[in-house]
């Protein structure tokens, strides 16, 4: 048997689950434990098929809209990406007991938008059209109150009603560098534009991108573990390419990798999007260990200690259904 070639692996850290994702998954798991199956979830709780399928196997039912739910007496959970206000209004009209798994950092952006609107400002949202987080943020306010921009070119074409009374907010999972360029263009065109009190791009997105940057130039190839509809995972792949590792791919599972195609590389970098569980990273390492002799280095740029509290009904002893409903919507 021929000797396996050596392969150095750089594991970027932090990687994988962030506090908002961890909280959202816990909400579904605890709801299943407390209320039994089925528990309905509007949209994928997080953008990862492995996670979604694991929860489906335990009794979670994923829908895109509330009108797909025929039972009115089962818990409904809103995904980590956030929802338009109308969705909560519709849930209350149907007398649903619901749990909101919106990431608290997304909720922060929602509150910022509401404050700017109350103060009479036009709002510019930096984000990706159609992404659930963007749909949810724009849905906090009346139609037309928020203008979506995706590129510097969009900034150049922007014609606000009152250029002196603008504010900007952003999707939490964007490329830090791309967003910086858009913000600089906004400030150049509109010097009085109001910025967020604290950066809207979340700590986990920033940390994962910085970790990839720190490793990319030392790698012959990089694998980002994540789903194609995961914004933060897609941005990690883009950051890897722009930071010097042009051979960077987004992979969902080890079974999707042609390990033989990596023959000849000496150093492989691996990271994972904020909605990808560590078990998928381990699965990919096992796939490479079958063909290569691995030496593994973890390259850490930050420690993450943030956690978010669960919704009140899941923090307290079980109550009768009516009381649970009152707690959830309070």
């Amino acid at each position: 048997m021929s000797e396996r070639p050596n392969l150095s692996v750089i594991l970027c850290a932090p990687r994988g689950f962030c506090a908002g994702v961890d909280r959202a998954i816990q909400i579904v798991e605890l709801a299943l434990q407390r209320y039994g199956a089925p528990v309905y979830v509007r949209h994928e709780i997080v953008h990862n098929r492995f996670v979604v399928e694991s929860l489906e196997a335990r009794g979670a039912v994923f829908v895109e809209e509330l009108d797909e739910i025929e039972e009115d007496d089962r818990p409904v959970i809103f995904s980590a990406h956030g929802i338009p206000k109308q969705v909560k209004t519709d849930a209350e009209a149907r007398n649903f007991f619901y749990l909101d798994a919106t990431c608290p950092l997304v909720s922060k952006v929602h509150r910022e938008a509401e404050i700017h609107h109350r103060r009479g400002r036009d709002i510019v949202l930096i984000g990706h059209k159609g992404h659930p987080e963007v749909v949810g943020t724009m849905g906090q306010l009346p139609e037309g109150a928020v203008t979506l921009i995706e590129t510097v070119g969009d900034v150049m074409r922007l014609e606000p009603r009152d250029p002196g009374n603008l504010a900007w907010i952003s999707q939490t999972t964007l490329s830090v560098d791309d967003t910086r360029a858009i913000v600089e263009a906004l400030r150049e065109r509109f010097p009085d534009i109001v910025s967020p009190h604290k950066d809207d791009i979340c700590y986990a997105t920033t940390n994962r991108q910085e970790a990839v940057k720190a490793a990319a130039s030392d790698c012959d190839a990089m694998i980002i573990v994540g789903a194609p509809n995961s914004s933060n995972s897609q941005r990690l792949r883009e950051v890897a390419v722009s930071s010097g590792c042009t051979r960077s791919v987004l992979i969902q599972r080890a079974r999707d990798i042609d390990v033989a195609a990596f023959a000849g590389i000496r150093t492989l970098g691996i990271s994972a999007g904020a909605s990808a569980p560590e078990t998928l990273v381990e699965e990919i390492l096992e796939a490479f260990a079958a063909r290569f002799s691995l030496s593994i280095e973890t390259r850490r740029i930050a420690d993450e200690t943030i956690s978010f509290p669960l919704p009140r009904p899941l923090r307290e002893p079980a109550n009768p259904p009516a009381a649970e409903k009152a707690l959830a919507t309070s």
Side-chain angles (χ1 to χ4, degrees):
M1 183 176 178
S2 60
E3 187 176 336
R4 290 176 298 166
N6 294 326
L7 179 64
S8 296
V9 176
I10 298 175
L11 290 178
C12 300
R15 64 180 176 276
F17 279 179
C18 64
V21 164
D22 191 54
R23 172 181 180 270
I25 294 169
Q26 281 189 63
I27 288 171
V28 180
E29 292 174 337
L30 290 172
L32 285 165
Q33 289 176 21
R34 179 172 289 206
Y35 309 115
V39 166
Y40 289 91
V41 186
R42 184 187 179 275
H43 193 67
E44 291 186 338
I45 187 67
V46 297
H47 284 157
N48 187 276
R49 286 307 306 168
F50 177 87
V51 171
V52 168
E53 290 168 4
S54 298
L55 293 171
E56 283 177 332
R58 297 171 62 178
V61 178
F62 292 86
V63 300
E64 285 303 309
E65 299 298 342
L66 297 182
D67 59 15
E68 298 173 48
I69 304 173
E70 296 182 358
E71 303 169 271
D72 290 351
D73 60 347
R74 300 304 304 158
V76 178
I77 298 172
F78 301 138
S79 80
H81 311 96
I83 54 168
K85 276 188 173 178
Q86 186 60 44
V87 174
K88 282 188 180 179
T89 300
D90 293 345
E92 289 163 1
R94 287 189 58 178
N95 206 30
F96 278 138
F97 164 49
Y98 65 79
L99 297 163
D100 190 352
T102 300
C103 174
L105 298 180
V106 174
S107 297
K108 164 188 168 291
V109 178
H110 292 180
R111 289 193 297 272
E112 288 174 348
E114 290 171 337
I115 290 169
H116 290 315
H117 185 64
R118 285 201 301 269
R119 293 176 179 174
R121 297 177 182 132
D122 286 346
I123 300 164
V124 174
L125 170 61
I126 305 171
H128 295 297
K129 184 177 181 180
H131 189 279
E133 183 183 329
V134 166
V135 173
T137 298
M138 295 184 76
Q140 300 306 303
L141 298 175
E143 188 172 351
V146 181
T147 300
L148 178 66
I149 59 173
E150 299 184 85
T151 66
V152 171
D154 290 341
V155 176
M156 298 302 106
R157 291 184 289 271
L158 186 63
E159 296 295 338
R161 178 185 56 183
D162 182 357
N165 197 26
L166 283 177
W168 70 267
I169 56 179
S170 82
Q171 185 179 334
T172 63
T173 55
L174 298 179
S175 160
V176 174
D177 293 336
D178 289 349
T179 305
R180 184 181 298 117
I182 294 171
V183 171
E184 288 173 357
L186 281 169
R187 287 173 174 158
E188 186 171 340
R189 277 205 69 196
F190 310 107
D192 296 329
I193 194 166
V194 177
S195 300
H197 177 66
K198 187 177 181 182
D199 196 350
D200 286 341
I201 296 178
C202 85
Y203 77 96
T205 297
T206 302
N207 286 346
R208 280 149 190 73
Q209 289 180 17
E210 290 301 317
V212 165
K213 285 182 187 179
S217 61
D218 295 329
C219 297
D220 301 313
M222 288 200 78
I223 289 174
I224 306 299
V225 185
N229 62 336
S230 166
S231 175
N232 74 85
S233 299
Q234 289 282 10
R235 303 295 82 75
L236 285 180
R237 188 198 65 80
E238 294 168 0
V239 166
V241 171
S242 64
S243 299
C245 187
T246 56
R247 192 175 174 182
S248 297
V249 293
L250 181 66
I251 294 292
Q252 296 197 73
R253 300 290 302 270
R255 64 186 178 218
D256 302 324
I257 301 173
D258 179 4
V259 177
F262 289 83
I265 69 168
R266 299 170 64 182
T267 304
L268 174 68
I270 299 178
S271 186
S275 50
E278 183 65 13
T279 187
L280 300 185
V281 174
E282 294 169 357
E283 185 182 271
I284 286 169
L285 286 172
E286 289 176 6
F288 276 93
R291 284 181 176 262
F292 297 89
S293 177
L294 303 185
S295 62
I296 300 173
E297 167 199 354
T298 296
R299 193 169 295 184
R300 179 174 298 278
I301 60 96
D303 292 311
E304 294 179 349
T305 58
I306 292 174
S307 63
F308 297 125
L310 295 167
R312 198 193 314 174
L314 297 179
R315 299 197 308 265
E316 298 183 352
N319 294 291
E324 293 277 19
K325 191 173 295 184
L327 279 170
T329 56
S330 65

